[in-house]
Amino acid sequence: MAEIDETVVAADDAVQLAEAKLLIGKAELDGRDKQYQMIKKIIDLKVQELRVFRG
């Protein structure tokens, strides 16, 4: 009986939407974290390069 109640259906839809947004947010955060790590590695390599050439 609860499955046909409009309030329950609306709440279930809201929960599913929130879970989808959470999943997307986690994926975006993971992507940004990987970008940050890549940029940090590039900067570290440049710093090492400058140290080698400047002695």
Side-chain angles (χ1 to χ4, degrees):
M1 188 113 178
E3 292 84 17
I4 60 172
D5 185 14
E6 290 180 24
T7 307
V8 173
V9 172
D12 185 50
D13 290 345
V15 168
Q16 288 181 5
L17 180 62
E19 287 175 342
K21 286 181 179 182
L22 176 64
L23 185 63
I24 291 169
K26 284 182 178 181
E28 288 179 0
L29 180 61
D30 187 48
R32 297 288 182 194
D33 189 47
K34 289 187 188 319
Q35 284 179 333
Y36 169 75
Q37 290 173 2
M38 178 188 64
I39 291 170
K40 189 171 186 284
K41 286 181 182 180
I42 291 170
I43 290 171
D44 289 342
L45 288 172
K46 286 292 183 183
V47 167
Q48 288 178 359
E49 184 180 304
L50 288 171
R51 286 181 181 159
V52 167
F53 287 123
R54 290 187 180 181

